[in-house]
Amino acid sequence: MPATDRRIADIRVHKLRAPWIDPPRWSPSYSRLRELIVVEVETAGGVVGMGYLQILNGGLETIAACIEELVKPHALGRDVTEVEALWEELWRANYWIGRMGITVMAQSALDIALWDATAKLAGLPLFRLWGGSAKRLEAYGSGCWRGLGGDGMVDKAKRYVERGFKAIKMQAGHLYDDRTDIAHVAAMRTALGEGTEICIDVNMGWTADQAIAVGRRFQDHGVYWLEEPVDCEDTAGYFRIADALDLRVVGGETHFTRYDLRPFFAHPKIPILQPDVMRGGFTELRRIAAMAQTSGMRIAPHLFPELMVHLMAAIANPHWIEYVDWMEDAWVEPILPQAGVYTPPERPGHGLVFKPDFLSEHKLS
């Protein structure tokens, strides 16, 4: 077949399980291995696009099975550049059992791979295919996990500051009572001084009343944002907290697609949205960013910094990239921040290639 033949000839799904570089400590006992789903889309002309998901809390086999049963049949034989058309077709085809959860995650993996292949066909990095520029993008150091304890969170934050990051994120809630959380934030501010922004992630651990009470104490220590203070479904709680506090209330990582985020667009009290590429793919994140801009909101996406650098370079309302070191050992050429700043790579596609030995060593049969 000629290299210009863009028809999708094969879709390969790989399941990986690998040790962490530095295990996340959401709790002192967290012990899951890294779990990844990798999707390779190959055209009849031999161009290969790759997408991946990092599964944090189970579902590896289920999502892989969903790709095989409900995603692949719609994509095989199609022009690989029909990315948005395929997104809509998959959304509608799986609507009655989907709209959120497994089906959206499954089509998100394919979506990332399709955009990678499309940009490679064009000979462009993704951010340039989307009309972006090689701008400098600030990142914050994430992963000051609550399971590290108060001193451990401070120690990790100090290491980020030494590397040039101007903002860090620590966790609250779940393991600690309110007084302890407040003491942790006070200790963090004392350790870092006034030159570093402190973000706090509650991971949906509080009620709205609790978030208001504790958030007022956090304000005394110059906290930059309060992330996911309540359950993602509790939009009324989000709005009540935002009205009561003089710090930014943010969220969005647990929401699926622009439809799930619609209340935040209708009532733009959340100044920063944090969508996750696993919950809609690149296609949906670009739509979310455009809708957010019309409401005066900025985008600070959840995780996947090596992918998000392309998105952020191509949208009009980027805020911060979330830096974690979870995948740096997997790539032939990792995409890394320098002094807390990312610059998108000029390689075609998203520019990520798995090391062959990483795939072979950690792939499940």
Side-chain angles (χ1 to χ4, degrees):
M1 294 288 183
T4 53
D5 192 333
R6 301 192 301 262
R7 289 174 297 167
I8 298 173
D10 193 19
I11 298 174
R12 299 181 289 273
V13 182
H14 310 290
K15 297 169 291 186
L16 281 68
R17 190 171 285 125
W20 295 90
I21 301 171
D22 181 17
R25 296 300 181 194
W26 296 303
S27 70
S29 60
Y30 184 82
S31 60
R32 296 185 73 97
L33 295 174
R34 274 185 293 178
E35 293 187 325
L36 307 170
I37 289 178
V38 178
V39 174
E40 293 177 311
V41 174
E42 185 168 1
T43 69
V47 173
V48 177
M50 183 274 289
Y52 82 97
L53 309 178
Q54 186 158 12
I55 312 302
L56 299 178
N57 198 28
L60 183 73
E61 299 286 351
T62 304
I63 297 171
C66 184
I67 295 171
E68 295 284 355
E69 180 183 1
L70 300 177
V71 173
K72 281 178 65 171
H74 293 273
L76 287 170
R78 296 286 293 273
D79 188 313
V80 77
T81 66
E82 296 175 1
V83 190
E84 297 204 29
L86 269 169
W87 196 100
E88 290 298 328
E89 181 175 321
L90 288 165
W91 172 259
R92 293 299 170 188
N94 297 320
Y95 195 77
W96 79 280
I97 58 169
R99 296 194 304 115
M100 296 185 190
I102 296 300
T103 57
V104 173
M105 286 188 165
Q107 77 174 80
S108 297
L110 176 72
D111 186 82
I112 296 165
L114 293 176
W115 278 117
D116 185 37
T118 297
K120 286 176 178 174
L121 280 164
L124 292 170
L126 261 177
F127 76 94
R128 293 200 181 279
L129 180 75
W130 293 331
S133 63
K135 61 183 72 170
R136 289 166 51 85
L137 299 159
E138 290 194 5
Y140 65 90
S142 189
C144 299
W145 313 113
R146 62 178 64 85
L148 297 172
D151 291 341
M153 286 191 283
V154 168
D155 288 344
K156 187 160 187 178
K158 285 181 176 178
R159 294 198 294 273
Y160 278 135
V161 172
E162 289 169 0
R163 294 175 58 183
F165 288 88
K166 295 182 175 61
I168 64 92
K169 187 163 79 178
M170 63 185 293
Q171 292 184 315
H174 295 282
L175 295 184
Y176 307 111
D177 61 30
D178 296 348
R179 292 180 185 274
T180 304
D181 279 328
I182 294 164
H184 286 165
V185 173
M188 184 70 77
R189 175 56 71 202
T190 298
L192 301 185
E194 297 299 324
T196 303
E197 300 290 2
I198 297 173
C199 303
I200 299 176
D201 191 353
V202 183
N203 300 110
M204 303 185 291
W206 290 340
T207 65
D209 286 343
Q210 187 178 10
I212 291 168
V214 181
R216 285 173 174 155
R217 298 293 302 277
F218 285 172
Q219 289 172 172
D220 297 337
H221 305 292
V223 166
Y224 188 82
W225 79 37
L226 184 63
E227 179 177 336
E228 283 203 313
V230 293
D231 290 342
C232 60
E233 296 89 356
D234 186 8
T235 52
Y238 265 102
F239 298 154
R240 193 152 63 88
I241 299 163
D243 285 339
L245 297 181
D246 291 328
L247 55 79
R248 300 162 187 85
V249 178
V250 305
E253 72 180 62
T254 315
H255 292 78
F256 282 85
T257 77
R258 64 195 184 278
Y259 300 111
D260 203 17
L261 289 166
R262 187 178 296 175
F264 296 128
F265 299 133
H267 306 282
K269 298 186 178 188
I270 308 303
I272 301 163
L273 284 182
Q274 302 170 298
D276 187 317
V277 74
M278 293 196 295
R279 293 171 169 85
F282 278 133
T283 294
E284 193 64 4
L285 258 64
R286 294 175 70 218
R287 293 167 173 168
I288 289 168
M291 294 178 72
Q293 187 197 10
T294 64
S295 300
M297 305 159 80
R298 301 178 75 186
I299 298 295
H302 183 233
L303 300 177
F304 299 96
E306 58 279 344
L307 294 175
M308 293 302 94
V309 66
H310 288 279
L311 176 86
M312 298 288 270
I315 63 176
N317 51 338
H319 191 2
W320 286 332
I321 292 176
E322 182 173 14
Y323 170 72
V324 287
D325 64 359
W326 288 355
M327 293 294 292
E328 292 176 8
D329 60 331
W331 311 120
V332 174
E333 294 182 76
I335 301 169
L336 303 173
Q338 300 298 321
V341 175
Y342 276 95
T343 303
E346 294 286 354
R347 304 189 289 273
H350 51 50
L352 296 168
V353 178
F354 277 101
K355 294 176 182 176
D357 58 344
F358 186 90
L359 287 177
S360 60
E361 182 177 350
H362 302 303
K363 190 165 66 172
L364 304 178
S365 60

